[in-house]
Every structure is written in C-alpha cells, then in structure tokens.
Amino acid sequence: MKITRQKGTKDIFLDEMNVWQYIEENIRNLCDEYNLNEIRTPVFESTELFLRGVGNETDIVNKEMYTFLDKGNRSITLRPELTAGVVRAYIENGMSSLISPIKFWYNANMYRYEKMQKGRYREFSQFGVEIFGSKSYKADLEAIIISSNFLDRIGLKGEYTLSINSIGCKKCREKYINKLKSYIKPNLSSMCDDCKKRYDKNPLRVLDCKVETCQEILKDAPMILDNLCDDCKNSFNKVINSLEKLNINYKIDKKIVRGLDYYNGIVYEYTSDDLGLAIGGGGRYDTLVENLGGASTPAVGFGMGLNRVVLLLEDMKEKLKSYVDVYFLITNDEGYIKSLDVIKMLRENGYKIEQDLSEKSFRAQLKYADKIKARYVIILGEDEIKNNKCILRNMENGSQKEICFNFDEIVDNI
Ligand SMILES: [Zn+2]
Ligand SMILES: [Zn+2]
C-alpha cells in the first residue's frame, strides 16, 4: 500500500520553497527593523489553554482542534493559533518584569481540522506579531503598519483591502450587546441555529453570520462602532487619522468582529482582492493575559496566513529561480581531486558551485548543467589537467575559451 500525505498537509520543495524562503527572509528583515523579538513556543500545549484562551464557543475550539490524550493521560492539543501560547509563555516566564512594552514575532505552523478551501490547509503557517504592555492607540497602529508593510514589501501593494472596526471595551460593549439583543429578539425564531446559540453565548458573533436570512434581519441592526464609549471612539479616530496621513488604504467595516473571543477595541482584517479571501487580521486583546492567569496587561497582535500569501506570489516562482554560478564538468578522478580545492575556495567566496556526483558522461553532465541553470561550465579534460588549464563555457551564449585553472583566473572570468 502506498503511504500518502495526510489530507490538508503539503510538501513544499523546489520552486515553491523559493517563495517561502523569500517571504521568510522579508519577515526577518522587517521584524528586525521594528526591533521585534522572535518567539518560538511548543507545537502542542495543554488543551485547557485553548479552551480558556481562544474561547470554548468558537469554531476553532468546538470543531477544529487536534486534541488527544498522550501516554501520560494528559489532554494535549496541537496549537490551532499562536496568541494563546505566546500569552502563556509571557505569563509563565514572568516577562511582565522584563521590559514594557515587549514585542514578539513568530512564524510558525498551526493545526486546525478545517474544511478544505483555496490556500487553506490543516497544517498551515502564520506570521504574527504580539505587543504586550501598551494601552495606547500607537500600539494598534504599529501592528497595522507592520502587517501592511509586510504585504507591500513582498509585492502585494495595492492587491489587498484592509478593513477595520472597533468592537469596544468591556464598558461600551455591555451596553451595546443589550441594544443588539433587543433588536434581534423579535426575529430570533427566523434566524439560523448557530445564531440562536450565539444570541445567548456570544451575541456579537451573530453579526458575522453568512446565512442570507440572518443577514437580511441584521440589515438595520445597531452597530458597535456607532455605540462606542469616548475612550474607544478616540483611539479609533486616532488610528484612522494616522492611516490617512500615512496613505495606508483602509475601509471601515462595522461588521468585523473576528472569529476569536479574546478581542476588544480595534480589530481588522486583510482580504486579498484577487482571491476574495481573508489573508490575515488582528486586533487588541486587553483581557487575555488576565484570563489566562497573569496580571492585567493590555496587548495587541495580528496573524497573516502565509499559505494564501504564497498562492498570491505564484508569479514570483520564475523570478526566484536559483542559478548556479559554475558547474565543474569533469569525467576523470584526477581532475575531480584537482578541482576540489578551487571549488572550496569559490564556495567560501560566495559562489554557488556544482560538480558531478554520479559518474555521468560528458554529454549527460552538460545537459545537467543546463537544467540547473548553470551560468558557466568549467571543463577539465586530460589535456587541460596536464597544462594546468581549463575550458570556460558561457552557458548563455555558448562561447568557450581556455583559461588557467586557478581561483583568481576563474573569478576574473565569471
Ligand atoms: Zn469603550
Ligand atoms: Zn445566522
């Protein structure tokens, strides 16, 4: 029986790997510019962390977690998102006493038992940032700037929409939810089953419902953005004004509530115009640290789904194809041994070099050099070895010339 990869997983190699590495390099450079610290947390955590952290009314927790008992009878879950794990690490390692605000980034794999969609996998990668310790709108803004900067920098400028909303704080949300509930109540019986459940447990998420009859009912529902307290309104306006000044395009979308329970204040989503699908999002989560047992700590963060981003960068594959600087075409042992020192020196000086590893014939090696896109081929036949020469072939135009076989001469000619 053939063993195949699991549904929702992916093997990444060759052309596509170049795109991933290109994105990862951009992430590292970008985060370094903002002086963010990388954090790596375990792939698996106690199930309890996500029940309390993500919220047990969310789809992620209810339907999508990879949860199992380990041999010690502990309930373990493969992380379905990273914020809860980072917050656990923040509390467990006493990071509140280090510096504040403390800023982290991660680029990691996560696991959700999800329905397949374009660019959606059960094992998927997210780049994210979490900033702990700032109540100011400046932290919200910084997270938005970093995330939009990331998309611009990798080549998606103008190809996505940033939608932004505020879902208020504890204070204004409580008032608003009562208002929303009294609006919904008369029509509740004609709404979908999910909404009926949400009505009691998490009424804000009713606004997220995709069912048409529900949307029709909610058409004139009061919106949280129109019911913010002064503090929340102020922060939101400051962020919006700053986005204007920075020429960052955005759209206010009063319906954004985000799929996770822990958000408050400013929330936002990035949608690919091309795919019409979400590629990332984030927001403020001022109560999560406390909910998970830490001291009350304001925080903001975002996550970007890299699998979809890779889909959008399909045409980078050709551009990112790697070239080999020199292929050493040698068919005898003497030449092979003689070449090793020079090859080592070239590699140490940053040249990408390949040589035959499988006793191929002259013709087969030339074909191979062409396939790997070698820019030059150095041929070291028996005559050349005797005279300490080699033949340098330019693979772009096919021209050849004889040069001395030493490091300096080769470098001068390539
Ligand atoms: Zn408020
Ligand atoms: Zn509904």
Side-chain angles (χ1 to χ4, degrees):
M1 197 184 70
K2 204 165 81 184
I3 298 171
T4 57
R5 66 172 188 273
Q6 291 299 299
K7 195 175 169 186
T9 64
K10 201 170 179 344
D11 302 311
I12 301 171
F13 53 94
L14 295 178
D15 287 358
E16 189 184 332
M17 185 54 92
N18 291 338
V19 179
W20 281 93
Q21 289 180 342
Y22 162 78
I23 293 171
E24 288 157 8
E25 196 184 313
N26 272 288
I27 289 173
R28 264 195 300 277
N29 291 339
L30 181 75
C31 292
D32 200 44
E33 290 163 24
Y34 285 86
N35 195 29
L36 307 172
N37 307 282
E38 185 178 2
I39 186 165
R40 297 185 190 184
T41 61
V43 167
F44 57 88
E45 300 267 5
S46 82
T47 303
E48 183 66 19
L49 173 67
F50 303 110
L51 294 182
R52 273 166 58 190
V54 180
N56 49 16
E57 300 309 324
T58 58
D59 282 353
I60 295 176
V61 167
N62 277 336
K63 302 175 188 164
E64 297 168 0
M65 294 208 303
Y66 281 92
T67 297
F68 57 94
L69 288 179
D70 74 0
K71 291 190 196 316
N73 239 2
R74 303 172 191 89
S75 182
I76 299 287
T77 293
L78 300 184
R79 59 187 178 203
E81 57 99 63
L82 222 92
T83 303
V86 173
V87 170
R88 181 206 41 76
Y90 175 85
I91 299 167
E92 190 168 347
N93 296 289
M95 291 190 209
S96 59
S97 65
L98 300 177
I99 38 166
S100 179
I102 190 164
K103 304 172 283 183
F104 289 112
W105 70 273
Y106 59 77
N107 177 12
N109 281 359
M110 292 156 220
Y111 304 84
R112 288 183 201 173
Y113 195 80
E114 286 204 273
K115 286 195 197 89
M116 294 303 110
Q117 263 189 39
K118 197 163 187 177
R120 176 166 282 170
Y121 298 90
R122 291 181 174 173
E123 179 182 56
F124 60 98
S125 300
Q126 260 187 27
F127 156 50
V129 164
E130 317 287 354
I131 302 173
F132 296 99
S134 171
K135 265 188 209 152
S136 167
Y137 80 97
K138 290 177 186 164
D140 298 85
L141 187 63
E142 177 111 323
I144 295 174
I145 292 173
I146 296 170
S147 46
S148 61
N149 208 331
F150 163 68
L151 292 173
D152 292 349
R153 193 175 290 202
I154 57 171
L156 296 174
K157 194 171 173 64
E159 295 177 27
Y160 62 86
T161 302
L162 162 64
S163 308
I164 181 165
N165 189 25
S166 172
I167 54 174
C169 63
K170 235 181 188 165
K171 208 167 57 181
C172 49
R173 206 172 341 168
E174 210 166 300
K175 258 197 219 153
Y176 165 73
I177 281 171
N178 289 332
K179 211 164 163 182
L180 178 66
K181 278 176 123 174
S182 45
Y183 172 87
I184 294 172
K185 202 168 187 185
N187 295 304
L188 188 61
S189 56
S190 16
M191 295 186 88
C192 76
D193 286 347
D194 279 340
C195 280
K196 280 175 192 151
K197 269 186 240 155
R198 289 175 191 141
Y199 178 82
D200 286 319
K201 289 180 174 159
N202 194 349
L204 211 54
R205 292 214 56 210
V206 168
L207 298 172
D208 226 5
C209 186
K210 303 280 180 282
V211 178
E212 227 167 277
T213 47
C214 296
Q215 287 204 349
E216 185 58 28
I217 290 166
L218 292 164
K219 214 173 55 197
D220 299 315
M223 289 292 165
I224 177 88
L225 192 64
D226 306 317
N227 289 276
L228 296 176
C229 68
D230 286 346
D231 284 350
C232 290
K233 214 184 291 175
N234 255 328
S235 297
F236 186 74
N237 289 338
K238 279 183 179 167
V239 166
I240 292 296
N241 290 338
S242 311
L243 293 178
E244 297 270 355
K245 285 204 184 97
L246 290 164
N247 278 321
I248 296 177
N249 287 326
Y250 68 91
K251 191 180 91 188
I252 292 175
D253 183 346
K254 296 181 181 179
K255 280 200 172 149
I256 291 180
V257 296
R258 306 283 298 146
L260 309 169
D261 277 357
Y262 50 64
Y263 284 109
N264 65 274
I266 290 165
V267 291
Y268 46 94
E269 283 176 3
Y270 290 95
T271 318
S272 154
D273 298 338
D274 209 24
L275 298 172
L277 295 167
I279 49 175
R284 179 168 279 281
Y285 54 94
D286 288 340
T287 53
L288 185 56
V289 178
E290 201 175 355
N291 286 349
L292 289 174
S296 171
T297 308
V300 298
F302 70 79
M304 307 294 288
L306 296 186
N307 300 75
R308 279 185 181 159
V309 167
V310 167
L311 272 186
L312 294 167
L313 295 179
E314 184 69 29
D315 53 353
M316 293 291 292
K317 281 184 186 168
E318 204 46 48
K319 270 186 233 163
L320 293 169
K321 269 212 163 67
S322 64
Y323 290 84
V324 167
D325 294 308
V326 186
Y327 179 86
F328 279 70
L329 198 167
I330 302 165
T331 53
N332 60 76
D333 287 344
E334 200 190 346
Y336 170 70
I337 298 297
K338 186 179 160 81
S339 69
L340 290 177
D341 266 349
V342 172
I343 288 177
K344 183 166 175 259
M345 265 167 86
L346 285 165
R347 284 179 174 147
E348 282 169 356
N349 280 277
Y351 292 96
K352 205 189 262 194
I353 311 291
E354 269 217 51
Q355 71 204 106
D356 175 56
L357 296 179
S358 53
E359 315 287 350
K360 280 196 187 74
S361 70
F362 184 93
R363 190 183 282 267
Q365 287 195 39
L366 201 57
K367 218 168 149 187
Y368 178 83
D370 190 47
K371 253 192 195 153
I372 59 167
K373 290 178 180 285
R375 288 166 51 232
Y376 291 94
V377 168
I378 282 177
I379 302 163
L380 201 56
E382 274 166 32
D383 284 348
E384 285 85 26
I385 296 171
K386 256 183 248 155
N387 305 327
N388 203 27
K389 302 268 182 183
C390 64
I391 293 166
L392 180 72
R393 181 186 172 97
N394 180 326
M395 292 297 277
E396 268 151 49
N397 56 29
S399 66
Q400 291 192 171
K401 64 173 168 182
E402 199 180 53
I403 59 170
C404 287
F405 187 73
N406 63 52
F407 173 78
D408 292 331
E409 182 108 352
I410 291 169
V411 168
D412 283 346
N413 281 283
I414 57 176

